[in-house]
Each structure stands twice: as structure tokens, then as C-alpha cells.
Amino acid sequence: MHVLSSSKISDHWKEKVLPRYAGSIFTSSLFLMLFLILILFSFAVVYTLIFTFINGHSLFPFVNGELSIAIKSIALWSTQIYAFAFGIIYAVARGRLSYRRKNQPAQENNTSSGRLGLSSENFAKKGESYSFFSKWFHYIALNSSAIREVAFDIDCLVSGFKDKAEPSTSFDCHAASNGSSVFASSSDFPAVASSSDSPAVASSSDSPAVASSSDSPAVASSSDFPAVASSSDFPAVASSSDFPAVASSSDFPAVASSSDFPVVVSSGDSPVFVTGLARSGTTILLEALYSTGDFATLTYRDMPFVTAPFLWRKISKGHAVKGDLKERAHKDRLLVNYDSPEAFEEVFWKTVSSDGYISADSLGIHNEDSECIVKYRKFVHNIIKSWQLLDKPSSFRYLAKNNNNLLRIKMLKKAFPAGLIVVPFRNPLDHAASLLRQHSHFVELHAKDKFALQYMNWLGHHEFGLNMKPFCFSSGTLPENREETENISYWLRYWLSVYGYLVTRHGEDVFFFDYDAFCENPSESLEFLSKALKIDKEKLSSFEDSVKTAINYGRLDDSSVSFEVRQLHDQLKAMALN
């Protein structure tokens, strides 16, 4: 209004801005009206149910004409006075509680390892369970696909998304990193003749026993996995005939041609997508990139209205409270709070695709869909706009960690041709051991806490636990039964299937990132990463102190690991940007 009342601004410019102000006022008034209607409707429903219950009537007020009695009772002056008094008491109590929580200092971390560190007190402390109201709130926001979709549509309207097409800018990630393609086909790599030809990977005694961010100290003991040392305990993995050839593309389902869908180009800086098999180091990679301050991404503050990031942040930013760093559900020593980035993006994909790629026992390839691509561009725009509400620099790149993005790499490249996809990998024996441990942990957790199981289903997290659904890239990914997932041989076979698919189908579409090399020499790996992703080296190098040496669960040349697994690991190391 200061523009309209200012004598220093000409009437010509006032006429220009007046329609915009009028539109903003109208939109705000419309949303306020809808909000008040929602409050009144909720009050009416709750009051009607309470009224009929207290007066001994049916709990279903639409029967026997009891609805009219309840409506007449709502219209009484006494009812309105009671409701107003109750509202005032609730508003005052909630305001004082929010003030105390907002001004309570966050708990300081007593260890020298920073955000990823964990004191003995915190390590022993269990996370607080969700309250009944919180569970109900998450159920309303996440359980219904219709509510998630309506929230997304409203968010796009409020954020003012406009999809402006620009010339396509294709991007060859390997050419950008070293000037040429690193890997053309599996035949470019020499065959590994025998296990003795492959150099032995250092045992756990060769490196300091400092846990990585993706592992728990409970797994560090070699006694936890006594079966790894013996080749006889893994008959299913020792034989090379049990695995399809890595180089053969016929073992994997065909991916739709990019020419089948219209190109939807990106605008602005190229987004970065971190994806891979769970427990490969995706979280620490996400933390490293997020620490630069150059990226906008989903955090715990975006829960539970993940599909409406702009509107939800606009509503809640004035009531934001500080949160203590607590260990996440994985029990892997990684501390999180409300501002920690996390893999919540899959909620969007579940919403716009109606769970079309999710079957009863597996996750299939998410086929390209032009409508989903357009909506995804809107979603990314809304997230970036939500970060611009925080009085921070207006220039942000989008950052997403989502393991399920392995299912839709072609779609990501179609939505953002200049987007950069990073896929970390690690020693397959260590990786399989970590997957087995987490699977056992979440099976136990889901059996005790049904809400935890439901919560993971809402988020589309099917990596392990009772709702475990493997990526269906080849016939070797599906376990014959649930008992098979309790054996490390299955997870080794799964590792081979997933990374074999990526090498064969998407070797030129992604950056492979060696997690073990990263832990061994973080400075050098972060330098390679900064060049490949076009990030300020100084900003990224500040994360070096948070990187810990990886735990080794066994020797890679052990006879328990198949020839195909070792060969594929050698190929991945040759293709890695670090």
C-alpha cells in the first residue's frame, strides 16, 4: 500500500501495479474464506458427533432425523459463547507452548564429529514416538492420494508456476568430467580371469575403526558376520552360473525411447539427483552437497504436506521451532533434526503416478509420462520458491536424494536435460552386510510398531523391512521367499542385479561415485565432485571433517563373492568420477 499512497511514484506506475495488488488481495481473501469454511465444517462435524453421543442418540446423526436437532443446537447463543471461550483458551495455551519451544536452545552436540557425530548419551537415547494427534495428522496428509493431489494443485496456484520452454541443453556427464566417455560397453573392460587376479581389498584391521555415516558400530564386529569368511556358507553366490552376464542388455527390460515423449526442458541451473541402492552412501553425499548452502531440497520441515512445499512453508514458517539432533530410525549414528534433508520426494511420484510402478512384491521401471514430467517441473519450482521465503539468496539449485529415482532415470533426463545424476557404490560385501543388518532391524521395528510400517509405505520407502520391495531389474532381484532375505547371499545377488542394470542401461547417463574412495580420501573425492557438479570447491571442502573411514566386513577377493560381482565392482571403479 505504500506504493499507492506515495507521492513520489507517478500515477502511471500506480496503475500498473494496482491490478497485481487487487489480484493478490482477492487470492488471499479466497484462501482465507476456504480456511474459515474448513474450520467451521470441522467444528460442526465434531460438535454434532459429541452432541448426539452425550444425549444418548445414534453416533450416526444422519439417521432418524437427529441431524436437524444438532444443527439447531449449534445455532444457540450459548453454544457459540462456549465455542468462542474454548477457542480463546486453546489459542492462548498453544501460543505460550509454541513460544517456549521456539526459544528453547537446541541441544549441543558434545562430540567433535559435528553433525554426523553421536555422543554416548544420544546413542543410547531412543527417538520419541509420535503422539496420537501427530499420527492422525500424518494419516490425513499422506494416506489419501486425492488430498496429496489437491494440495499439489493448490501449491502450484499459490506459487505462481509458469512453465516457459527454453532451448534444450543436453549434457554428457562423463564428457564434462574428463572430456570423453569413460565407459562405452562392458567389453571395454578386461575380463577378470580369476579371483586371484583381483587385488585384495584391505581388511578392517588395515584402516582405523571409525564408522562411516551409513554404518552402525554394532556391525563393526567381525563376529556379527562369522559366515562371511567361509565360502561354503554362500553356495548360491559362489557359482557364476547363478548370475546373468553383466554385459548383456537382454537381461533387463527395455526402456522407452526418449523420442516417444516431448522434451520438457529445464530452466536455471542444473539440479542434482543423488540416487542408488540403499546403504551405498547416498545420505552422506546428500549431507555434503546440502552443506554448501547452494541447494534447495526437502527437509523434515516439509512433512507431512510434502506435495505442497511452498504453501506449507508459507503457513508454518512463522511457527517454526528448533529441534534437537536425534538419531534417525536406522540406528546408524546419523543425527537429524527438522532442518535435515531427507528422501521425501517419492511422495510426489506416488501421487502423480497413482502407484502405477509399485506391485505387491517389487518396484518396476517407472515408464516415461509427459504429464508426470510437467508436474515434476512444477514440483521442483515450488520447492525452490519455498526456500526463497527464508530470506536467503534467491538463486538455488534443486537437490534430491531418492533411491527410487533409479526407476526413472530417463524421465529425470527428459524433465531436466542438464540435470546431474550421482550414483554412489561401495564394496559389495560391505554393502550387502549393511543391507542385511538394516533389513533385520526394520523387520523387528515394523513388527513392534505398525505406524512405522505404514509411515514407510506412505513415503514409498521399500528398501528393507516387512514392506521390502526390490527393484525388478532382472529375474535375480526377487527373493524366492522372505527367509532368503535373511541371508547375505541374497543381498549380494541383489547388488549385482541393480548395478549391472545401471552399467548396462545408464552408463552414460549418470556419475558413478566410489564411496570407499570418498571415505579414504575425502579431499580428493570432494574436489572431483565439485568439478563434475559445478560447485564451489571451498564450500564443499568444509565437509571433509565429517567423513569417516568406512568399515570393512570382509575381503573382496574372498571366495564367497562371485566372479561376476568382483568384475562388476572393477568396472564401477573404472567408471567412477573419483
Side-chain angles (χ1 to χ4, degrees):
M1 295 302 295
H2 71 281
V3 175
L4 298 178
S5 59
S6 176
S7 59
K8 298 181 180 180
I9 300 177
S10 67
D11 293 340
H12 171 75
W13 290 110
K14 290 180 180 180
E15 291 177 359
K16 294 286 185 181
V17 300
L18 189 59
R20 181 176 178 180
Y21 285 151
S24 298
I25 294 173
F26 174 76
T27 303
S28 301
S29 301
L30 180 62
F31 277 103
L32 179 60
M33 182 183 67
L34 292 175
F35 185 68
L36 291 175
I37 291 175
L38 179 62
I39 293 177
L40 292 174
F41 177 76
S42 301
F43 170 76
V45 171
V46 172
Y47 179 83
T48 301
L49 292 175
I50 295 175
F51 176 84
T52 53
F53 177 76
I54 292 177
N55 289 276
H57 299 293
S58 170
L59 288 178
F60 301 94
F62 297 99
V63 183
N64 300 327
E66 289 152 357
L67 180 61
S68 59
I69 300 176
I71 292 176
K72 292 179 180 179
S73 176
I74 292 177
L76 295 175
W77 279 107
S78 58
T79 303
Q80 299 298 320
I81 293 174
Y82 287 140
F84 179 76
F86 177 79
I88 293 295
I89 294 172
Y90 172 78
V92 172
R94 192 180 191 286
R96 290 185 177 181
L97 180 61
S98 299
Y99 177 81
R100 290 178 183 177
R101 293 179 63 187
K102 185 174 183 179
N103 289 275
Q104 182 179 3
Q107 180 179 354
E108 294 294 330
N109 184 18
N110 296 323
T111 64
S112 61
S113 55
R115 186 169 184 168
L116 298 179
L118 184 66
S119 65
S120 58
E121 179 184 358
N122 285 332
F123 188 79
K125 185 178 180 179
K126 296 183 179 180
E128 296 179 2
S129 59
Y130 283 88
S131 64
F132 172 80
F133 175 77
S134 182
K135 290 180 179 180
W136 176 82
F137 197 45
H138 280 72
Y139 180 87
I140 294 296
L142 295 172
N143 187 67
S144 172
S145 177
I147 291 179
R148 298 196 306 264
E149 192 165 359
V150 168
F152 172 69
D153 292 338
I154 294 176
D155 202 45
C156 291
L157 178 65
V158 175
S159 67
F161 174 81
K162 293 182 180 180
D163 193 6
K164 297 181 180 179
E166 298 176 356
S168 174
T169 54
S170 60
F171 190 84
D172 187 336
C173 60
H174 295 290
S177 60
N178 55 21
S180 61
S181 174
V182 176
F183 179 68
S185 66
S186 59
S187 61
D188 294 337
F189 293 87
V192 182
S194 66
S195 60
S196 61
D197 296 334
S198 178
V201 175
S203 65
S204 58
S205 61
D206 297 331
S207 59
V210 184
S212 68
S213 64
S214 59
D215 293 304
S216 169
V219 195
S221 173
S222 59
S223 61
D224 293 338
F225 291 90
V228 175
S230 173
S231 60
S232 60
D233 293 332
F234 303 98
V237 186
S239 173
S240 62
S241 60
D242 294 336
F243 301 91
V246 175
S248 173
S249 61
S250 60
D251 296 327
F252 304 102
V255 181
S257 170
S258 60
S259 61
D260 296 337
F261 300 94
V263 174
V264 181
V265 298
S266 67
S267 59
D269 292 326
S270 56
V272 175
F273 306 98
V274 178
T275 182
L277 191 57
R279 313 305 299 167
S280 62
T282 52
T283 300
I284 192 172
L285 195 54
L286 173 71
E287 291 274 0
L289 297 174
Y290 180 71
S291 68
T292 63
D294 293 339
F295 292 95
T297 189
L298 291 171
T299 69
Y300 285 90
R301 290 196 185 278
D302 294 298
M303 288 292 287
F305 292 101
V306 179
T307 56
F310 178 79
L311 180 59
W312 181 235
R313 193 174 292 261
K314 196 176 184 68
I315 293 174
S316 62
K317 73 171 185 175
H319 308 283
V321 297
K322 297 179 180 179
D324 298 341
L325 290 170
K326 296 180 181 179
E327 188 182 18
R328 63 178 187 165
H330 297 69
K331 298 299 178 183
D332 57 2
R333 306 181 312 142
L334 180 61
L335 300 180
V336 296
N337 60 16
Y338 296 128
D339 296 305
S340 299
E342 192 46 273
F344 297 133
E345 187 191 72
E346 195 62 19
V347 175
F348 164 81
W349 291 110
K350 283 168 54 68
T351 302
V352 298
S353 66
S354 302
D355 295 344
Y357 58 96
I358 303 176
S359 64
D361 59 356
S362 63
L363 303 178
I365 297 294
H366 193 173
N367 295 321
E368 296 180 25
D369 185 298
S370 57
E371 183 178 355
C372 286
I373 290 174
V374 172
K375 289 183 177 180
Y376 184 56
R377 283 173 44 79
K378 293 180 179 180
F379 182 63
V380 170
H381 167 270
N382 294 347
I383 292 174
I384 293 176
K385 288 280 288 186
S386 72
W387 276 73
Q388 294 171 354
L389 295 172
L390 303 178
D391 298 326
K392 293 184 177 181
S394 59
S395 178
F396 284 105
R397 294 171 65 184
Y398 178 61
L399 171 64
K401 172 207 165 187
N402 185 356
N403 295 333
N404 287 357
N405 275 342
L406 292 181
L407 304 170
R408 57 182 75 92
I409 290 177
K410 291 295 184 183
M411 197 167 350
L412 294 180
K413 298 297 290 185
K414 190 66 65 68
F416 296 97
L420 307 174
I421 304 173
V422 185
V423 179
F425 67 93
R426 63 190 293 194
N427 178 312
L429 192 57
D430 296 341
H431 199 164
S434 184
L435 283 167
L436 174 59
R437 179 189 177 277
Q438 285 299 320
H439 179 65
S440 300
H441 168 67
F442 273 92
V443 165
E444 182 179 355
L445 175 64
H446 291 165
K448 294 179 180 179
D449 188 352
K450 297 302 180 184
F451 176 76
L453 175 61
Q454 192 176 39
Y455 184 80
M456 289 299 183
N457 286 327
W458 288 337
L459 299 184
H461 286 200
H462 300 282
E463 291 91 345
F464 18 67
L466 293 180
N467 66 332
M468 186 261 184
K469 298 178 190 289
F471 300 134
C472 192
F473 293 145
S474 70
S475 58
T477 61
L478 298 178
E480 295 182 1
N481 49 59
R482 284 290 178 183
E483 289 72 22
E484 188 181 8
T485 59
E486 300 173 2
N487 194 316
I488 198 173
S489 62
Y490 166 73
W491 297 101
L492 282 168
R493 190 172 80 240
Y494 185 41
W495 184 96
L496 177 66
S497 175
V498 171
Y499 284 101
Y501 166 82
L502 291 172
V503 167
T504 304
R505 292 288 187 179
H506 299 291
E508 297 295 332
D509 298 325
V510 305
F511 287 115
F512 287 107
F513 187 78
D514 191 336
Y515 170 76
D516 297 303
F518 176 45
C519 293
E520 183 178 350
N521 192 342
S523 177
E524 183 179 14
S525 293
L526 289 174
E527 183 176 356
F528 282 121
L529 192 66
S530 65
K531 292 179 180 179
L533 305 186
K534 303 175 183 178
I535 303 172
D536 187 341
K537 176 185 174 182
E538 298 301 323
K539 291 183 179 180
L540 199 56
S541 62
S542 62
F543 193 77
E544 290 179 19
D545 294 337
S546 299
V547 183
K548 304 303 175 184
T549 305
I551 291 179
N552 297 123
Y553 294 99
R555 298 172 62 89
L556 186 57
D557 65 339
D558 191 276
S559 56
S560 61
V561 181
S562 73
F563 167 80
E564 286 80 7
V565 170
R566 286 185 282 107
Q567 183 185 39
L568 179 57
H569 186 242
D570 288 340
Q571 293 178 354
L572 287 168
K573 288 195 295 184
M575 298 170 66
L577 65 88
N578 60 332

